[in-house]
């Protein structure tokens, strides 16, 4: 029996010639997608001046992108049952190329936003496929390391994005932020055409139009409502109406997914305790990262009055630490499981958030770097173990559903947390009677309470979940 178990652990679910090369196109595509998700954060103050828009409007370049990802992601499972892995990935990469060119040539804010949202379609297709394919082509014995590599892509791109953006903007126009994607996407296309093999079988199930429409309307309504709250206020009839619509439609969507024979998303897997706990931790972790990475570059430029190039350099140490911890955390999971890694990770993230609350208009740069580094130790330390813990609880086709669900909710939580951070930033800024610099810093302090609350909530989950008891 032990010999059979060892043999099973040494074999992947799907045999491909070169697993690493098969993953290359998706890893590059996911990196570019996640880089694009946060690369504009550091450029938002410049874009506000260049395009003549305010904070509430310019944040749509972030939330609009994540909104499209969140709308497309629930459809990913259906797409992979109608189209091959190669077809979906190649279409996604070509779609991203088109969006990048449109954004780079955009004459107005509206066209720029349109290009960004086209890019969101590609990220929504490629991101969950990366995890699904990794689960299939790597053996269980190597799965922790493989998932760690995937997590490193997701965690490293948002962390390094501000640094590269700052360096680009120091010498070039913001348009080069989009032209820079092109060579990476071309390389990913070459890997997809030469090395990517099909994973999974095409069943071509019946398309449920009601589920698709309710998914799109529900998620879009909630994200749009939270985004509008920063400019219209939380008591606005428009905001409250959209929130109510989103909740009602998503309730219908959830009920339908649980009761129809071929759901777009198999929400029944939330009945698995390990998946439920791991997925919640991943969502909260992503919300911490996105909200903090949205707030921090703007604080440096408007609170500390640092130039954009300097802001990018200050973000670099945290980005490097993020990549290193992401790479190590997957291997640590193979030896220690998720319980202590997630607890330690979220505790460290709480410390990083508290450090950001201690900043002012005169805070030393070294303290800001230290706060960012601490945050970038905690978040990736928890991310990969939580994700692997969740997906390991699923078997067969449900692993694909689990990956799609987690990635969908990550983007929805990311879009909502960014919009909430914008709203809290505005509330804190309006309540302050200090100078423009001091008022903005006061707004930052109010906004930082969001990642702090998310980190505390995630830490509580690590101590209350019973699924850790089943770990080896």
């Amino acid at each position: 029996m032990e010999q059979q178990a060892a043999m099973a652990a040494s074999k992947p679910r799907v045999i491909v010639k070169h697993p690493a090369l098969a993953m290359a196109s998706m890893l590059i595509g996911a990196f570019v997608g996640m880089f694009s998700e946060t690369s504009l954060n550091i450029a938002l103050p410049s874009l506000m001046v260049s395009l003549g828009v305010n904070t509430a409007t310019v944040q749509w370049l972030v939330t609009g992108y994540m909104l499209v990802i969140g709308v497309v992601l629930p459809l990913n499972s259906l797409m992979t049952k109608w189209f091959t892995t190669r077809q979906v990935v190649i279409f996604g990469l070509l779609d991203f190329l088109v969006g990048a060119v449109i954004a780079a040539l955009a004459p107005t804010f509206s066209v720029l936003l349109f290009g960004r949202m086209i890019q969101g379609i590609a990220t929504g297709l490629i991101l969950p496929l990366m995890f699904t394919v990794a689960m299939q082509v790597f053996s269980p014995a190597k799965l922790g390391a493989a998932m760690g590599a995937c997590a490193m892509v997701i965690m490293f791109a948002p962390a390094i994005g501000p640094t590269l953006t700052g360096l680009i903007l120091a010498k070039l126009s913001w348009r080069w932020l989009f032209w820079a994607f092109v060579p990476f996407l071309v390389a990913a296309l070459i890997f997809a055409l030469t090395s990517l093999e099909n994973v999974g079988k095409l069943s071509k199930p019946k398309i449920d139009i009601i589920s698709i429409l309710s998914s799109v309307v529900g998620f879009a309504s909630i994200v749009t409502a939270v985004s509008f709250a920063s400019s219209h206020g939380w008591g606005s009839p428009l905001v409250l109406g959209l929130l109510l619509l989103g909740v009602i439609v998503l309730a219908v969507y959830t009920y339908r997914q649980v009761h129809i024979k071929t759901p777009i998303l198999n929400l029944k897997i939330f009945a698995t305790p390990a998946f439920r706990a791991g997925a919640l931790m991943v969502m909260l972790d992503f919300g911490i990262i996105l909200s903090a990475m949205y707030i921090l570059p703007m604080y440096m430029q408007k609170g500390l009055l640092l130039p954009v190039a300097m802001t990018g350099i200050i973000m670099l140490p945290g980005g490097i630490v993020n990549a290193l911890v992401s790479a190590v955390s997957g291997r640590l999971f193979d030896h220690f499981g998720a319980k202590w890694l997630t607890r330690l990770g979220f505790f460290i993230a709480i410390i990083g958030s508290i450090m950001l609350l201690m900043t002012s208009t005169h805070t030393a740069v070294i303290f800001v770097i230290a706060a960012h580094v601490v945050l970038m130790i905690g978040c990736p330390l928890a991310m990969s173990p939580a994700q692997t813990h969740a997906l390991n609880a699923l078997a067969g086709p449900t692993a694909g559903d689990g990956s799609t669900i987690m990635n969908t909710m990550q983007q929805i939580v990311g879009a909502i947390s960014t919009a909430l951070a914008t709203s809290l930033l505005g509330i804190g800024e309006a309540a302050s009677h200090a100078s423009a610099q001091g008022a903005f810093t006061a707004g930052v302090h109010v906004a930082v309470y969001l990642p702090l609350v998310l980190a505390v909530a995630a830490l509580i989950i690590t101590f209350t979940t019973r699924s850790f008891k089943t770990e080896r």
Side-chain angles (χ1 to χ4, degrees):
M1 291 294 292
E2 291 182 2
Q3 186 177 5
Q4 290 178 345
M7 290 179 63
S10 66
K11 291 183 179 180
R13 296 172 181 170
V14 178
I15 304 296
V16 297
K17 292 180 181 178
H18 304 289
L21 291 178
M23 292 293 299
S25 60
M26 289 170 285
L27 288 168
I28 296 172
F31 175 83
V32 173
M34 296 307 297
F35 180 89
S36 181
E37 187 161 306
T38 55
S39 63
L40 285 193
N41 284 350
I42 199 171
L44 293 181
S46 302
L47 285 167
M48 289 166 62
V49 176
S50 245
L51 301 172
V53 294
N54 58 26
T55 304
T57 301
V58 80
Q59 61 126 4
W60 272 99
L61 292 176
V62 179
T63 55
Y65 179 79
M66 287 189 284
L67 170 61
V68 173
I69 297 174
V71 167
V72 172
L73 274 168
L75 306 178
N76 187 274
S77 180
L78 178 65
M79 293 284 290
T80 54
K81 292 170 184 173
W82 273 87
F83 303 98
T84 66
T85 309
R86 280 171 54 85
Q87 288 172 332
V88 174
V89 172
I90 290 171
F91 172 82
L93 293 172
L94 289 171
D95 172 85
F96 208 114
L97 267 172
V98 171
V101 171
I102 291 174
L105 298 174
T108 63
F109 176 82
S110 299
V111 177
L112 175 58
L113 179 60
F114 178 68
R116 287 277 291 170
M117 294 177 83
I118 288 178
Q119 291 174 327
I121 296 173
T123 304
L125 292 175
I126 294 174
L127 199 61
L129 263 183
M130 176 178 67
F131 289 100
T132 303
V133 174
M135 292 286 292
Q136 301 294 324
V137 302
F138 288 99
S139 65
K142 297 180 179 179
L143 188 56
M147 296 298 284
C150 294
M152 184 177 69
V153 167
I154 288 182
M155 302 293 281
F156 180 60
I160 201 69
T163 302
L164 296 181
T165 301
L167 295 175
I168 291 172
L169 292 178
K171 297 293 183 182
L172 302 168
S173 160
W174 58 265
R175 300 180 186 278
W176 283 95
L177 296 176
F178 300 100
W179 289 123
F181 296 147
V182 173
F184 292 99
L185 293 168
V186 170
L189 270 171
I190 292 172
F191 278 115
L193 291 169
T194 58
S195 304
L196 181 59
E197 299 181 42
N198 293 320
V199 176
K201 297 179 180 180
L202 302 183
S203 57
K204 296 189 176 181
K206 181 181 177 181
I207 297 175
D208 183 15
I209 300 298
I210 295 177
S211 292
I212 293 175
L213 291 177
S214 58
S215 170
V216 172
V217 173
F219 288 124
S221 296
I222 289 179
V223 174
T224 303
V226 177
S227 299
F228 279 166
S230 58
S231 56
H232 291 70
W234 286 96
S236 163
L238 175 63
V239 172
L240 294 176
L242 284 171
L243 280 174
L244 181 61
L245 174 64
V247 170
I248 293 173
V249 172
L250 283 181
V252 172
Y253 174 76
T254 301
Y255 179 86
R256 191 168 182 82
Q257 298 316 293
V258 171
H259 289 86
I260 61 177
K261 289 184 178 179
T262 54
I264 291 179
L265 282 183
N266 181 15
L267 298 181
K268 291 180 181 178
I269 60 177
F270 273 106
T272 305
F275 174 78
R276 183 171 62 247
L280 285 172
M281 286 186 278
V282 168
M283 294 172 208
L284 293 171
D285 200 340
F286 203 70
I288 297 166
I289 296 167
L290 266 294
S291 57
M293 293 306 99
Y294 174 74
I295 297 164
L296 196 53
M298 290 200 292
Y299 160 67
M300 292 182 194
Q301 293 178 66
K302 289 191 168 185
L304 296 179
L305 302 181
L306 297 174
V308 64
M310 179 62 71
T311 302
I313 293 171
I314 292 172
M315 301 288 283
L316 182 59
I320 294 172
V321 168
N322 183 300
L324 293 174
V325 177
S326 295
V328 170
S329 64
R331 295 184 182 276
L332 289 175
F333 173 85
D334 290 335
H335 295 285
F336 302 107
K339 178 166 66 174
W340 293 108
L341 293 175
T342 53
R343 288 177 181 177
L344 180 61
F346 288 124
F347 179 74
I348 294 172
I350 289 172
I351 295 174
S353 300
I354 292 172
M355 290 176 71
L356 290 177
L357 283 173
M358 297 168 62
T359 57
S360 70
T361 56
H362 303 291
T363 298
V365 169
I366 189 66
F367 182 84
V368 178
I369 293 174
H372 183 212
V373 167
V374 170
L375 202 60
M376 290 297 100
I377 292 173
C379 290
L381 187 62
M383 176 66 84
S384 180
Q387 193 158 37
T388 309
H389 177 73
L391 293 179
N392 271 354
L394 307 177
T398 58
D401 290 319
S403 176
T404 302
I405 288 171
M406 278 199 292
N407 282 284
T408 298
M409 297 313 299
Q410 278 183 48
Q411 298 305 317
I412 297 300
V413 169
I416 291 174
S417 62
T418 301
L420 279 174
T422 302
S423 182
L424 292 171
L425 182 65
I427 291 171
E429 192 174 7
S432 174
H433 300 290
S435 64
Q437 181 185 3
F440 190 86
T441 303
V444 167
H445 289 159
V446 175
V448 168
Y449 278 109
L450 178 61
L452 177 59
V453 169
L454 295 178
V456 170
L459 183 62
I460 291 172
I461 291 173
T462 68
F463 281 99
T464 57
T465 178
R466 295 181 179 179
S467 65
F468 281 151
K469 294 181 180 180
T470 63
E471 282 195 336
R472 44 180 166 65

